[in-house]
């Protein structure tokens, strides 16, 4: 049985995504338990320098113009051979649009088990035990990672990205890209958020509203609170889908990743697609009427109260304190 733990490095437009460092940090105790190495898989076009701060024992780098932009098709074809040859104990992918597409296809194509939305995978009595957030994060499923090789997708929150960064560049082994044949997918361009609005990714205080805000009129209560706190309002997908807030204010997998000093989550359940984009906030405070809402797994502080009752009172208190 293979011992190494593979990690697929996600990068976009010349930048390694934080989830890659989180996965490398998660892989370290796994490799220590199996007696293997943490092996980063980096696919790119002229992107070898992205390996420089990866906390891996070694990096397998594959270069091809087909990897200049991510397409699941090119990645799937290239990684098939890598997994077959290397037979790792586990291969970790982000529980992201990129990782989900690649891992799902590889699992089906190679007949390998896939455990998705893992928050942790830890050594236990000679095996690896996973904790997976299923049903939108409402249920924590635990089990033993199947042998000999299992694929894992990982949600953020279990480790900080800094734990997956190394001060020194790891050894890089360049492996030839396989013949990729006729690829049917190409990237034609990136959709940029409309200009003219604030960039929530750069804001220090975010008052974020979810479906719990109940209707468009209540957005005003959040605006007043944000103004008092010196921040801006953003929201979860249902709020943007109903056009209570513009797309530029969407936080999450389909929106922006944010890292404010304060993230105030009001009436947000904490689905994986949302929390993956807020996990690196300095402080998360959640307000939710449901004591079991998954957002409380991530929040430093929480209040189980009605947001609609709380917001005006909080705004007044902040104004008075000023
Ligand atoms: C491919 C894909 C991409 C996605 N991308 C995103 C994304 O980018 N961003 C995103 O946010 N979601 C995204 N989603 C959707 C995501 O799965 C969740 O459905 C969404 O995050 C839920 O939003 P919510 O927490 O506002 O709503 P809900 O899950 O409905 O939660 C509402 C919460 O409000 C609480 N509540 C209700 N009333 C009150 C009250 N009066 N006071 C206090 N609390 C109250 C409830 O207890 C509940 O926890 C995506 C889903 C998919 C499949």
């Amino acid at each position: 049985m293979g011992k190494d733990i593979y990690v697929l490095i996600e990068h976009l437009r010349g930048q390694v995504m934080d989830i890659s460092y989180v996965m490398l940090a998660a892989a370290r105790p796994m490799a220590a338990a199996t007696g293997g190495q943490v092996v980063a898989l980096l696919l790119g076009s002229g992107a070898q320098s992205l390996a420089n701060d990866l906390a891996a024992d070694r990096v397998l780098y594959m270069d091809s113009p087909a990897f200049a932009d991510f397409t699941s098709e090119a990645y799937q074809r290239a990684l098939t051979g890598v997994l077959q040859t290397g037979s790792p104990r586990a291969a970790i992918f982000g529980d992201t649009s990129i990782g989900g597409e690649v891992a799902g296809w590889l699992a089906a194509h190679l007949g390998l088990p896939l455990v998705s939305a893992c928050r942790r995978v830890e050594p236990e009595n000679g095996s690896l035990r996973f904790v997976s957030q299923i049903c939108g994060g409402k249920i924590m499923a635990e089990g033993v990672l199947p042998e000999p090789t299992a694929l894992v997708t990982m949600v953020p929150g279990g480790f900080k990205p800094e734990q997956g960064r190394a001060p020194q560049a790891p050894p890089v082994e360049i492996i030839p890209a396989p013949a990729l044949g006729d690829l049917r997918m190409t990237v034609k361009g990136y959709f940029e958020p409309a200009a003219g609005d604030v960039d929530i990714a750069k804001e220090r205080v975010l008052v974020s509203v979810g479906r719990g805000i109940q209707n468009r009129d209540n957005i005003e209560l959040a605006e007043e609170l944000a103004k008092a706190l010196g921040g801006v309002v953003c929201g979860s997908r249902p709020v943007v889908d109903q056009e209570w807030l513009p797309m530029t204010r969407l936080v999450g997998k389909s929106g922006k990743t944010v890292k404010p000093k304060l993230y105030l989550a009001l009436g947000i359940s904490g689905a994986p697609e949302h929390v993956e984009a807020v996990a690196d906030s300095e402080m998360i405070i959640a307000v939710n009427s449901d004591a079991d809402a998954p957002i409380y797994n991530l929040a430093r502080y929480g209040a189980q109260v009605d947001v609609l009752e709380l917001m005006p009172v909080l705004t007044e208190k902040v104004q008075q304190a000023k």
Side-chain angles (χ1 to χ4, degrees), residues 73-265:
E73 193 186 22
Y75 268 54
Q76 287 156 0
R77 289 197 200 173
L79 291 172
T80 297
V82 175
L83 291 185
Q84 281 171 328
T85 314
S87 300
R89 171 67 186 91
I92 312 179
F93 303 81
D95 194 68
T96 58
S97 306
I98 291 179
E101 271 193 51
V102 177
W105 188 91
L106 286 170
H109 186 65
L110 297 173
L112 292 172
L114 167 62
V115 186
S116 55
C118 286
R119 194 173 161 86
R120 294 192 304 274
V121 183
E122 286 163 347
E124 190 189 81
N125 303 327
S127 54
L128 293 172
R129 190 160 191 83
F130 66 79
V131 178
S132 160
Q133 295 184 190
I134 56 173
C135 297
K138 291 197 173 70
I139 296 175
M140 294 290 180
E142 294 189 26
V144 171
L145 207 62
E147 295 176 351
T149 297
L151 308 185
V152 166
T153 66
M154 181 146 284
V155 295
F159 293 85
K160 291 272 170 211
E162 303 81 79
Q163 294 172 273
R165 287 198 174 94
Q168 281 179 337
V172 177
E173 188 183 325
I174 298 175
I175 53 172
L180 295 169
D182 287 334
L183 294 171
R184 288 163 300 171
M185 283 185 190
T186 51
V187 174
K188 298 224 161 152
Y190 290 91
F191 288 101
E192 303 287 356
D197 195 8
V198 291
D199 183 355
I200 56 170
K202 296 190 180 136
E203 292 292 327
R204 289 161 61 83
V205 175
L206 290 174
V207 173
S208 191
V209 292
R211 210 192 314 253
I213 194 106
Q214 289 171 21
N215 64 53
R216 184 197 290 267
D217 293 344
N218 292 329
I219 298 282
E220 204 180 318
L221 297 174
E223 293 283 5
E224 281 162 11
L225 177 56
K227 193 172 162 202
L229 288 168
V232 298
V233 174
C234 55
S236 67
R237 181 138 162 201
V239 171
V240 171
D241 283 350
Q242 293 177 89
E243 298 183 354
W244 299 347
L245 285 175
M247 183 68 189
T248 44
R249 303 295 180 101
L250 174 61
V251 176
K253 187 194 264 297
S254 358
K256 288 241 173 178
T257 296
V258 296
K259 291 183 187 176
K261 277 182 96 62
L262 171 64
Y263 189 79
L264 189 52

Side-chain angles (χ1 to χ4, degrees), residues 290-307:
D290 176 4
D292 296 325
I295 190 76
Y296 288 129
N297 296 330
L298 203 67
R300 174 101 58 95
Y301 300 105
Q304 190 198 348
V305 291
D306 185 331
V307 278

Side-chain angles (χ1 to χ4, degrees), residues 266-282:
L266 304 176
I268 292 178
S269 60
E273 296 84 2
H274 187 85
V275 299
E276 74 174 53
V278 305
D280 294 325
S281 304
E282 228 169 286

